[in-house]
Amino acid sequence: MILNGKKKIWSEYQKDIPEDHYFYVRSCIRQNFFPASEKLFLEVVRDRLSLDFFETEHHTTCGGIAYHSDTIPQETVMTIVARQFALMTEAGYKNYVASCITSFGLYTEILDTWHHFPELESKIRDYLWKTTKREFQKPEYLAHASDVVYKLRNKIADQAKYKLVNKENGEPLKVVEHIGCHYSKMFPSKGVGGAEYPYVLTGMIEAWGGEIVDYPERRHCCGFGFRQYLVQANRGYSLSNTHKKFESMAPFKPDMIITNCPGCPYFLDRWQYVIKEMEGTTYGQDGNGIPVFTYEEVAGLVLGYDPWYLGLQMHQTPVEPLLDKIGIRYNKEEKYLL
Amino acid sequence: MNKEVLVIGGGPAGIECANSLISLGYKVFIVEKCSEPGGHLRKWDRLFPYGVSASDTLDKLLQKSGKAIFFYDTEVQTINQVDEKFVITLSDDTQLHVSSIVVATGFTLFPAAKKEEYGYGIYNGVITNADLEDGFKTHKKELFKANRVGFVHCVGSRDEKVCNRHCSKVCCVTAVKQACEYKDLNPDAEVYCFYMDLRMFGRGYEDLYLKAQNKYGIRFIRGRVSEVAEDVNGCLVVKAEDTLTSRPLKVTLDLLVLMSGMSKNDDNDKIADMLGIKTEEDGFLSLPEPTLNNCQTVTDGVFLAGSVTGPKTLPETLNEARAAALSVHKYLSR
Amino acid sequence: MRERFLFGYDPFVLPFTLGMVFIVLYLLIGSVRIILALNKEERLLLLRSMNPKQLLITAKDVFVDCLLHIKVFKRNILLGYMHFSIAFGWFMIILVGHLEVILYTPQRNGVLYYPVFFRYFVMETQQTLRGAFFFFLMDLFLLMILSGVALAIFKRFRSMALGMRRTTKLKIGDRFVLYSLWAIFPLRLLAESFTANISGGSFLTKSINHLVHGFVTNPDNALPIWWSYSIALGVFLFTLPFSRYMHIPTEIILIFLRNAGIKSTSYRNGYAESEIYSCSRCGICIDACPMGVNRGDIKFSTVYTIRLLRRRENPHEGAEKCLMCNKCVEVCPVGINSTRLKLLYRQSVNDSGQHDFSYLSLLRESDSSGKVLYYAGCMTHLTPGIYRSLFNILDKAGVEYSFMDKDGSVCCGRPLMLSGDVKGAGELIKKNTELIKASGCKTLLLSCPICYKIFRDEYKLEGIEVIHHSVYINNLLKSGKIKVKRGTGKYVYHDPCELGRGAGIYEQPRELLSETGILMDSPEERGESICCGGSLGSLTMSCDKRRKITEHALDVLNTNKPDIVATACPLCMRTFSPLNKKSETADIAQIISRNLI
Amino acid sequence: MKEFGYSLSPSSRVDLDKIDKIKQERLFALEPGFRKCMACGSCSATCSAGNFTDVSLRRAIAYIQNGQDLAALSLLKHCMLCGKCLVICPRGINTRNLIMNVLKVYGEK
């Protein structure tokens, strides 16, 4: 691996991410899977870093799950998105930040489609007006929440209580990053670091003391794949994808996985248990599996939040061995008390 | 009308054009942006399909060009047309007055790093055809120790995503040639060629392909490589589809050679602009009569030769260079 | 004539006598072994053949084949004479020798060595001028043999003169026997000459005796030469079983078994063994073998394959490479069916049983009651010109026909059969038989000799006439149903292996061609036609080598500069047409169709 | 094991790292034409058995090169050895010998 080559590519895919004044939209499934992550994000940017991130209870799903499951037409999803933009416009914001990768990908796709087919955009404006009597401005800047955390990574590092290093030997933890298909695979220029060697999570890990390991199936889907997971008959495919990734990363002996997407941490985490049951294989060096985190959770950990406050008890793969490795203090008894 | 002609580009096309012009009694200036003549040919070791030495070929071309006046490390700065003459200013401020101009600026080798998924410049084992050729030429022994080698055809060719929809024409046979040469140097190596179509259009090419299959046992896999990664041992994990069986395919290799194609010369737009001629969508210079006359432009007295108008083999380029010289002669003898 | 010695014995007879005892025992044991390896039916056949009539036929065959060598004569007179002179001459010497013993020394009748060394043991008396007739005969036959031996020696150096471009390469053992054989007769001549002044002699022996009288008359000089003669015979007899000359006695056994109607059922034992040992390695099959154009492949010609079989070595390469064109069988003076041996070998290794032809059950027959059913077969589908021409002829003749495999065919099974897969071929045969029988046709018309061969030999299509188009068209022409214009086109007819040697159809295609143009000769035709090189018989021969064979066959066919090389096989045509640069290649059906009036 | 109602689906991916090269070399020695295939498909197009069933020498060769022996065998077992492909093959591969030897080399139990 030639690091300079990667750096060269990273330098070609940099975004001018604004630091402040965002309209924040949540993810449908993260609110259920990892509710603490979004809460923490807002807490960190608002309280720790004193930034302006607005959110409203009026926003809805972006329609992405339905869209990718082929159950609603393009115009419908575009009108839903147009309504979100209208909420942003009404709130007086110009920067739009999505917590969900699929939403981010969908917004990017819709904005690009409108760019190439302006008549479609006017049609959607018309639909939105007819249905909700709302009007909207397109966001001046569209970000994914990880872009913001990437932008703020050094500020977070400045306030960090822990580093991603093994307290026993001082060696950086080996971290596997999983970027989520919809982040930059569709529009490489919209992701930090591009699509082939994305930098958004790598940048965070580097800033917080860890070391990223690259592995052959890094680019591979986590296994969610919408139709693959949602339909039970296809669920084996979902599982197989995850299995493939773990088989590929196992020789690199990673300490943890950091993820970018709502579905990925869920599948990378839960499927480890299913693979153990089906195949008898447990990944990870200590036989406890490889713990999987959202980037917000990792940020929270280095900032010194209580692991149970971060919702890590919601994970299937136990996180305690890793916490011990870093030296994060926690109270065993309180795990399920919160 | 003086008998002075400017040839832009000191590669095979420019040299051979100059040779022909000299023998027709013209005085020729060659402007070359590098410090040596020969263009890409200088960097090559052997030529397909017969394995002729590239440096011998270049030497033979240069033998006849003694009377040409070379300007090295020099580019054309401005061109002004005064009556029927061209006044040229070079980057070293030299001024030339010529009656005709031949553009023989050739092509730019596709920068393989642009195909990020192949990891050129990122993975140690990924090199380009030019790197391998350099290895052949300079006997880089460590390059020939790899026991599992892959050749990826069409890197930067037939690929709209990198703005090259065209076929670079010579890469297929170059890959086959290099694969055979590699096997000569390391007979134990398993060699794979990943191709989309094998365009063995020239005399002797198909024979070379057959030899590659039959004698060297090179495995040809029909499918474009999708992505490359490094495994824990630093070997390359290469993925493609074997389109002949409609199955995804994976192979672990030690060395991967990317067959970088011929892109338009980066200077084409600038030169076209100076000469009042156009480029096509593919970036190569346009030909008003692409079938009847491969050298002609819309500007009187300006002619084209070689891969400045699209990917070409060396013999084609040389023929075109001679044809351009004749066109100049015809133009100046009118 | 009276005996010179009281006991009629001298130690020098021992080498011969022992050799003779050895060889007789060897032959006896060998014959018993062969007979034991026969199955019940075959033994029954053998037993049944032991009737006077059958024995007479066999005796005649033995006389014609083993002594007169008529087949070799047919190939080349000098070569025939060489074989004939040695075999027949030797036989006569033995016969006359016995007659002498019976007539002059009846008390020695039955003594093994006596007839052989008769001249040593007797002396001429005043009364025995009678013997002069036999002396003359003996010298005459000896001379005959010697001329044969001289030819044989000459052949070793200049085989071409005897019509053989190539002869068999000999191994050391063979040379040993060969030289002892060559030595026998000159030694006999010398021995008899040395004692000719005592025992008497004729024009040859007497003359030599006179010529070197001083040396010869010393009896001390005579004995060593008789010893040498006996030793030469002994060496010959002892080494015979280990040499190619074993064919001399074995061929008689072979003729017996063959005349009994026995065929080989294994490539190595029983009847096959008698065939293998009957091979004289004369090498006639080497020149006949089309593979010979590729020098490296001479080693695969039949003679060497049989030699491997005889040595109990693996004949794999030759057996698999052989084109099965059957020309070697056609020319073999001994009549060894080597193609069958190779086929039996293939059956032993290639009957994989891995095939799955269950899909055939999907095929349904068409109703062709009372019509001619045409089966193109796989190969004719590659040469649509042939069947379209044939249909044109049938239409013109008003023949009602239906096209059985219009939408693709079930293979006839012959290629599988040739590969050795009898079971697989059987399945195809079964399916085709069903389809043909159910169609209700009366005639099955075929364009491909490969198909024709198997339909004729292996299919059981009672009541249905199986006919190749060359014969069918000829019949149409003869019965006046079609007419052709007579042109001046010059044709050479190439006999396809399966149609000519395989099915014996030589004349009808020639008759047909003669009706419409000038039929020219080819240097090698009819039974000696050269395989086109496309044969499906060969399993392993590469395309390059096949091409060489094709080119050679075409060179031969084009010798007399014909306009058209005519053939009657789609595969021959496919093979020839791309490589025939000197004339056109056409199927007989195409030629007739073109010339219909 | 717990019953999940689904399971890992087998990968359709060809892994060239895991193919039996020794058998391939044996096949190559028995029929050197094996490597000459340029996948034109003439053999499959002309195949007599191909009229009725799934058989393709072209695909079988590719399967063998990819280590999918069983797939190759299941295609070739329908072959009637009629020889049309031998006549038609533009690369002069001895197709019948190849088919017979594939069945032999890969069909061995």
Side-chain angles (χ1 to χ4, degrees):
Chain A
M1 194 77 68
I2 306 160
L3 191 62
N4 278 339
K6 274 196 179 176
K7 281 185 179 158
K8 189 165 169 285
I9 288 189
W10 291 334
S11 69
E12 283 164 15
Y13 292 100
Q14 283 301 328
K15 302 205 288 186
D16 206 6
I17 306 162
E19 276 197 14
D20 207 355
H21 307 299
Y22 278 98
F23 181 80
Y24 182 70
V25 283
R26 291 185 182 242
S27 148
C28 306
I29 60 178
R30 295 187 93 206
Q31 295 178 72
N32 299 301
F33 294 171
F34 308 101
S37 288
E38 291 181 335
K39 180 179 185 311
L40 184 89
F41 175 80
L42 289 172
E43 220 175 293
V44 169
V45 291
R46 283 172 177 166
D47 302 347
R48 291 266 187 143
L49 303 169
S50 314
L51 299 171
D52 172 24
F53 278 72
F54 175 83
E55 75 158 330
T56 166
E57 69 274 31
H58 296 297
H59 90 74
T60 63
T61 173
C62 68
I65 290 182
Y67 177 57
H68 288 295
S69 305
D70 287 346
T71 52
I72 57 168
Q74 196 186 31
E75 283 84 353
T76 309
V77 78
M78 282 182 170
T79 313
I80 296 171
V81 167
R83 185 179 165 278
Q84 318 278 61
F85 290 163
L87 293 177
M88 175 195 76
T89 312
E90 286 160 18
Y93 284 86
K94 286 178 174 149
N95 299 330
Y96 192 98
V97 59
S99 158
C100 169
I101 285 289
T102 295
S103 296
F104 175 71
L106 186 62
Y107 296 139
T108 315
E109 182 185 325
I110 288 172
L111 289 174
D112 196 68
T113 311
W114 288 348
H115 174 72
H116 289 286
F117 302 94
E119 67 284 0
L120 189 59
E121 183 188 334
S122 46
K123 195 161 101 183
I124 299 300
R125 284 185 185 278
D126 192 35
Y127 289 164
L128 185 69
W129 179 252
K130 280 180 183 160
T131 49
T132 66
K133 295 284 178 291
R134 287 181 200 269
E135 287 177 288
F136 71 93
Q137 299 285 314
K138 283 186 280 184
E140 269 177 21
Y141 194 83
L142 175 72
H144 180 250
S146 64
D147 292 339
V148 176
V149 177
Y150 167 77
K151 179 78 179 173
L152 303 170
R153 68 194 187 282
N154 292 324
K155 290 190 175 168
I156 291 169
D158 292 342
Q159 299 191 22
K161 200 174 161 192
Y162 300 106
K163 284 191 126 191
L164 297 176
V165 294
N166 187 336
K167 66 164 188 182
E168 296 297 328
N169 52 22
E171 299 226 333
L173 294 183
K174 284 190 194 162
V175 186
V176 154
E177 48 103 28
H178 181 78
I179 213 71
C181 298
H182 293 162
Y183 176 67
S184 59
K185 278 184 189 167
M186 296 186 285
F187 295 92
S189 64
K190 303 292 182 196
V192 177
E196 291 298 329
Y197 311 94
Y199 188 58
V200 61
L201 298 179
T202 306
M204 293 178 206
I205 297 302
E206 283 176 353
W208 301 337
E211 179 194 307
I212 285 287
V213 289
D214 203 346
Y215 65 104
E217 296 295 355
R218 166 174 49 77
R219 301 166 173 104
H220 209 73
C221 170
C222 66
F224 186 178
F226 297 86
R227 264 165 293 199
Q228 273 62 28
Y229 175 70
L230 296 171
V231 181
Q232 197 197 5
N234 294 343
R235 214 160 281 162
Y237 294 121
S238 170
L239 183 69
S240 308
N241 269 302
T242 315
H243 180 250
K244 192 178 195 175
K245 280 187 84 73
F246 276 104
E247 286 295 314
S248 175
M249 73 172 79
F252 292 84
K253 302 188 168 68
D255 294 303
M256 62 184 279
I257 300 171
I258 180 169
T259 61
N260 204 21
C261 170
C264 309
Y266 191 75
F267 286 93
L268 292 175
D269 182 38
R270 305 301 201 265
W271 281 150
Q272 284 192 60
Y273 156 73
V274 178
I275 291 167
K276 159 84 179 114
E277 288 295 330
M278 281 185 182
E279 300 285 297
T281 315
T282 313
Y283 299 100
Q285 289 145 276
D286 47 12
N288 286 311
I290 306 170
V292 188
F293 300 92
T294 68
Y295 55 91
E296 293 105 326
E297 286 168 350
V298 180
L301 283 176
V302 297
L303 284 169
Y305 282 87
D306 180 62
W308 313 140
Y309 182 75
L310 294 174
L312 299 189
Q313 64 275 46
M314 304 278 282
H315 291 209
Q316 188 126 29
T317 311
V319 296
E320 287 90 336
L322 182 83
L323 302 180
D324 296 340
K325 201 178 248 178
I326 303 173
I328 295 172
R329 279 200 298 277
Y330 60 95
N331 192 336
K332 257 185 202 167
E333 280 72 45
E334 287 176 5
K335 186 169 182 180
Y336 297 109
L337 289 182
L338 211 72
Chain B
M1 190 75 52
N2 71 9
K3 295 196 86 180
E4 294 183 359
V5 182
L6 170 70
V7 174
I8 310 176
I15 298 168
E16 183 62 5
C17 183
N19 290 344
S20 302
L21 285 168
I22 289 164
S23 67
L24 289 165
Y26 293 90
K27 183 174 181 185
V28 185
F29 304 101
I30 301 179
V31 178
E32 168 57 49
K33 70 176 172 186
C34 300
S35 52
E36 285 176 306
H40 296 279
L41 183 59
R42 175 165 291 282
K43 297 170 203 150
W44 235 244
D45 182 41
R46 279 190 280 168
L47 304 175
F48 62 77
Y50 305 114
V52 174
S53 157
S55 52
D56 286 357
T57 307
L58 182 56
D59 288 347
K60 282 179 191 164
L61 283 175
L62 285 171
Q63 266 167 23
K64 292 179 277 175
S65 66
K67 284 188 186 162
I69 298 156
F70 278 92
F71 295 89
Y72 294 118
D73 298 311
T74 308
E75 287 179 58
V76 173
Q77 214 68 335
T78 59
I79 299 174
N80 289 306
Q81 206 166 359
V82 183
D83 299 327
E84 291 195 328
K85 295 198 85 174
F86 298 95
V87 181
I88 290 121
T89 316
L90 302 182
S91 53
D92 61 359
D93 293 333
T94 313
Q95 277 223 337
L96 299 173
H97 298 259
V98 297
S99 308
S100 181
I101 298 175
V102 176
V103 184
T105 47
F107 64 93
T108 297
L109 198 68
F110 174 77
K114 269 198 187 174
K115 288 293 286 179
E116 290 167 15
E117 60 268 41
Y118 296 161
Y120 179 65
I122 291 178
Y123 304 127
N124 292 309
V126 180
I127 63 170
T128 65
N129 43 1
D131 298 334
L132 183 62
E133 206 65 37
D134 183 60
F136 288 138
K137 202 176 166 78
T138 56
H139 308 289
K140 281 197 185 119
K141 288 219 173 79
E142 71 280 9
L143 205 54
F144 306 109
K145 284 180 183 152
N147 275 334
R148 295 168 299 178
V149 185
F151 287 81
V152 186
H153 294 222
C154 301
V155 175
S157 305
R158 307 179 75 191
D159 188 348
E160 296 199 11
K161 287 283 167 66
V162 293
C163 308
N164 282 347
R165 196 192 300 141
H166 65 270
C167 162
S168 293
K169 198 173 184 176
V170 298
C171 331
C172 281
V173 61
T174 302
V176 174
K177 181 206 78 140
Q178 293 188 339
C180 294
E181 287 175 312
Y182 198 96
K183 280 289 272 188
D184 277 332
L185 291 170
N186 181 358
D188 295 332
E190 280 168 32
V191 180
Y192 302 87
C193 279
F194 294 90
Y195 70 97
M196 294 195 289
D197 290 300
L198 278 173
R199 301 191 163 178
M200 296 291 151
F201 55 89
R203 187 176 179 187
Y205 298 5
E206 187 70 20
D207 298 340
L208 194 65
Y209 167 41
L210 184 60
K211 199 162 115 186
Q213 285 181 300
N214 212 19
K215 179 179 166 197
Y216 292 103
I218 290 158
R219 166 85 202 279
F220 287 85
I221 297 168
R222 185 168 169 274
R224 189 179 200 128
V225 168
S226 66
E227 61 184 47
V228 182
E230 255 179 25
D231 72 7
V232 74
N233 303 314
C235 298
L236 301 165
V237 179
V238 176
K239 289 196 210 171
E241 184 193 338
D242 176 17
T243 60
L244 296 177
T245 56
S246 311
R247 288 285 201 94
L249 172 149
K250 181 208 110 186
V251 63
T252 309
L253 303 175
D254 306 311
L255 183 71
L256 191 69
V257 185
L258 307 179
M259 303 310 297
S260 281
M262 290 185 179
S263 292
K264 55 140 184 157
N265 191 318
D266 295 335
D267 299 331
N268 276 5
D269 286 330
K270 198 178 110 191
I271 286 172
D273 210 37
M274 285 192 279
L275 291 166
I277 57 181
K278 285 201 176 106
T279 57
E280 295 289 330
E281 196 193 344
D282 58 12
F284 291 97
L285 294 190
S286 70
L287 291 163
E289 283 282 6
T291 309
L292 281 173
N293 194 330
N294 247 20
C295 307
Q296 187 185 323
T297 68
V298 289
T299 307
D300 286 345
V302 176
F303 302 94
L304 309 172
S307 52
V308 71
T309 56
K312 285 186 187 81
T313 66
L314 194 57
E316 286 168 342
T317 296
L318 296 177
N319 279 343
E320 244 178 57
R322 290 170 208 129
L326 272 182
S327 300
V328 169
H329 182 58
K330 205 165 138 195
Y331 168 73
L332 294 180
S333 325
R334 91 204 106 111
Chain C
M1 191 83 64
R2 65 178 173 83
E3 282 191 279
R4 284 167 67 197
F5 309 101
L6 186 57
F7 299 109
Y9 169 80
D10 190 279
F12 80 82
V13 304
L14 277 178
F16 162 77
T17 313
L18 292 175
M20 198 63 203
V21 169
F22 168 75
I23 197 70
V24 167
L25 284 175
Y26 190 94
L27 282 172
L28 267 174
I29 294 166
S31 307
V32 169
R33 270 191 51 203
I34 288 171
I35 290 164
L36 283 179
L38 296 177
N39 61 33
K40 225 178 185 175
E41 272 171 59
E42 290 169 336
R43 269 185 241 165
L44 208 67
L45 279 172
L46 188 63
L47 211 65
R48 244 182 253 152
S49 74
M50 295 295 170
N51 61 63
K53 194 183 154 204
Q54 191 70 39
L55 287 172
L56 209 67
I57 294 171
T58 302
K60 189 211 88 190
D61 284 352
V62 169
F63 186 72
V64 169
D65 288 349
C66 305
L67 295 180
L68 300 187
H69 286 95
I70 296 296
K71 279 184 193 156
V72 191
F73 263 111
K74 278 184 189 160
R75 173 141 297 276
N76 181 289
I77 292 179
L78 270 183
L79 194 67
Y81 176 75
M82 181 191 106
H83 283 83
F84 158 78
S85 61
I86 299 174
F88 186 71
W90 201 356
F91 174 73
M92 288 311 287
I93 282 184
I94 295 165
L95 191 73
V96 177
H98 278 87
L99 281 177
E100 284 177 327
V101 175
I102 292 167
L103 287 175
Y104 300 123
T105 56
Q107 68 277 23
R108 299 292 174 200
N109 200 4
V111 178
L112 207 53
Y113 57 83
Y114 219 78
V116 182
F117 305 114
F118 185 70
R119 290 292 152 86
Y120 180 80
F121 292 111
V122 296
M123 63 189 291
E124 210 175 13
T125 55
Q126 295 299 321
Q127 301 86 12
T128 45
L129 248 173
R130 284 186 298 162
F133 172 64
F134 291 110
F135 293 158
F136 172 73
L137 275 185
M138 288 300 253
D139 273 18
L140 184 68
F141 287 122
L142 190 59
L143 182 66
M144 186 172 162
I145 296 172
L146 285 169
S147 67
V149 171
L151 267 175
I153 294 167
F154 179 65
K155 170 173 158 268
R156 275 291 127 197
F157 305 105
R158 290 278 312 275
S159 62
M160 203 55 209
L162 279 79
M164 288 179 73
R165 287 199 303 128
R166 303 194 188 90
T167 57
T168 322
K169 283 221 172 70
L170 296 181
K171 293 277 159 94
I172 290 176
D174 280 334
R175 285 182 192 282
F176 213 68
V177 189
L178 181 68
Y179 297 147
S180 65
L181 181 63
W182 285 355
I184 288 171
F185 301 100
L187 285 172
R188 180 184 175 117
L189 176 67
L190 282 180
E192 291 190 342
S193 301
F194 276 33
T195 46
N197 55 334
I198 305 166
S199 63
S202 188
F203 61 96
L204 212 55
T205 39
K206 264 274 171 56
S207 314
I208 292 174
N209 189 278
H210 283 299
L211 226 61
V212 281
H213 192 73
F215 180 69
V216 161
T217 42
N218 182 353
D220 292 344
N221 291 340
L223 204 54
I225 206 81
W226 281 100
W227 264 102
S228 309
Y229 173 46
S230 174
I231 288 169
L233 277 168
V235 168
F236 176 73
L237 291 172
F238 266 113
T239 47
L240 187 65
F242 317 104
S243 78
R244 62 191 191 130
Y245 301 97
M246 191 60 184
H247 79 92
I248 299 168
T250 318
E251 197 181 344
I252 300 167
I253 301 170
L254 175 69
I255 292 171
F256 252 102
L257 296 173
R258 182 163 54 211
N259 285 352
I262 296 168
K263 281 182 179 163
S264 46
T265 46
S266 128
Y267 67 92
R268 198 161 252 171
N269 299 317
Y271 181 80
E273 192 161 13
S274 75
E275 284 191 306
I276 292 164
Y277 276 85
S278 293
C279 173
S280 65
R281 285 178 218 156
C282 65
I284 286 175
C285 56
I286 300 176
D287 277 348
C289 183
M291 292 198 286
V293 292
N294 297 300
R295 290 200 62 83
D297 283 354
I298 293 173
K299 61 176 176 290
F300 300 126
S301 48
T302 300
V303 58
Y304 297 114
T305 302
I306 290 185
R307 187 162 78 183
L308 287 172
L309 283 172
R310 181 160 161 194
R311 292 181 184 156
R312 305 238 146 210
E313 284 170 24
N314 193 336
H316 188 83
E317 265 193 285
E320 299 255 290
K321 192 152 282 169
C322 172
L323 293 153
M324 311 292 253
C325 75
N326 227 30
K327 190 170 171 184
C328 54
V329 177
E330 187 77 18
V331 299
C332 179
V334 186
I336 299 167
N337 192 345
S338 49
T339 306
R340 193 182 165 91
L341 294 183
K342 290 170 192 168
L343 199 57
L344 287 165
Y345 170 76
R346 290 182 184 187
Q347 285 173 13
S348 74
V349 291
N350 291 341
D351 210 349
S352 68
Q354 287 196 46
H355 294 290
D356 173 9
F357 298 135
S358 51
Y359 59 88
L360 295 179
S361 60
L362 301 170
L363 265 79
R364 292 282 168 268
E365 78 282 355
S366 58
D367 181 26
S368 315
S369 304
K371 291 187 200 165
V372 169
L373 186 62
Y374 177 68
Y375 174 88
C378 306
M379 286 304 155
T380 318
H381 276 284
L382 291 176
T383 53
I386 294 180
Y387 64 71
R388 291 182 65 160
S389 301
L390 179 60
F391 292 166
N392 185 31
I393 296 167
L394 295 177
D395 288 340
K396 199 84 174 196
V399 176
E400 268 197 277
Y401 62 91
S402 65
F403 192 167
M404 175 175 162
D405 52 346
K406 191 177 177 200
D407 302 318
S409 47
V410 182
C411 174
C412 63
R414 177 76 175 148
L416 266 179
M417 195 66 107
L418 282 168
S419 81
D421 190 347
V422 181
K423 196 165 146 271
E427 285 184 52
L428 303 187
I429 291 172
K430 187 164 159 260
K431 182 66 194 178
N432 275 325
T433 307
E434 272 169 34
L435 291 177
I436 293 164
K437 281 195 168 165
S439 76
C441 71
K442 287 276 158 278
T443 304
L444 179 66
L445 178 59
L446 304 156
S447 283
C448 174
I450 305 169
C451 307
Y452 176 67
K453 168 92 177 148
I454 195 167
F455 274 112
R456 205 188 65 143
D457 293 352
E458 306 284 341
Y459 280 64
K460 292 184 177 62
L461 297 167
E462 303 83 1
I464 299 171
E465 184 193 17
V466 177
I467 192 162
H468 184 258
H469 76 224
S470 59
V471 180
Y472 193 84
I473 300 171
N474 196 36
N475 292 347
L476 288 179
L477 194 66
K478 276 187 173 163
S479 61
K481 291 217 174 93
I482 53 166
K483 286 197 173 68
V484 289
K485 57 172 180 273
R486 186 175 285 278
T488 52
K490 290 182 284 181
Y491 305 114
V492 150
Y493 177 65
H494 164 76
D495 291 279
C497 307
E498 299 275 54
L499 195 65
R501 288 184 290 267
I505 294 175
Y506 294 114
E507 296 312 322
Q508 292 93 328
R510 289 186 163 76
E511 285 171 24
L512 254 181
L513 289 171
S514 307
E515 284 301 315
T516 182
I518 302 156
L519 181 67
M520 307 174 85
D521 287 340
S522 161
E524 292 180 63
E525 57 181 353
R526 292 193 161 80
E528 306 213 352
S529 158
I530 306 168
C531 172
C532 68
S535 169
L536 297 178
S538 175
L539 303 177
T540 56
M541 191 180 295
S542 71
C543 200
D544 302 340
K545 293 190 167 175
R546 285 176 184 270
R547 187 175 304 130
K548 289 260 171 58
I549 293 172
T550 310
E551 283 165 353
H552 171 66
L554 279 169
D555 279 349
V556 173
L557 286 165
N558 281 316
T559 309
N560 292 328
K561 300 194 172 54
D563 299 323
I564 295 181
V565 169
T567 180
C569 169
L571 182 54
C572 294
M573 181 157 119
R574 257 313 285 238
T575 312
F576 279 147
S577 61
L579 295 174
N580 188 3
K581 307 273 158 53
K582 291 181 188 151
S583 55
E584 195 194 332
T585 314
D587 188 88
I588 213 154
Q590 291 172 297
I591 294 170
I592 297 302
S593 169
R594 262 182 236 169
N595 292 299
L596 282 177
I597 319 175
Chain D
M1 198 190 94
K2 288 190 176 61
E3 204 39 70
F4 288 94
Y6 53 89
S7 59
L8 278 176
S9 21
S11 175
S12 64
R13 186 161 80 176
V14 169
D15 191 342
L16 290 184
D17 301 340
K18 290 183 181 155
I19 57 177
D20 185 346
K21 298 232 165 62
I22 294 165
K23 276 194 175 177
Q24 272 192 26
E25 285 303 318
R26 243 179 84 198
L27 186 62
F28 174 68
L30 288 164
E31 178 42 51
F34 165 59
R35 284 177 181 164
K36 293 199 319 199
C37 176
M38 55 179 180
C40 69
S42 310
C43 48
S44 320
T46 198
C47 180
S48 285
N51 283 316
F52 316 113
T53 184
D54 192 17
V55 44
S56 162
L57 179 58
R58 188 223 95 208
R59 218 145 27 101
I61 292 174
Y63 282 152
I64 285 167
Q65 288 176 328
N66 287 348
Q68 298 161 257
D69 314 345
L70 291 177
L73 282 177
S74 77
L75 286 185
L76 295 184
K77 69 183 180 192
H78 300 308
C79 168
M80 301 189 276
L81 279 185
C82 76
K84 276 177 91 181
C85 50
L86 174 77
V87 175
I88 225 87
C89 176
R91 270 281 166 94
I93 300 170
N94 189 343
T95 53
R96 293 169 78 232
N97 191 39
L98 183 56
I99 292 168
M100 288 179 66
N101 282 308
V102 168
L103 292 176
K104 262 188 209 164
V105 172
Y106 290 95
E108 286 167 354
K109 297 283 143 29

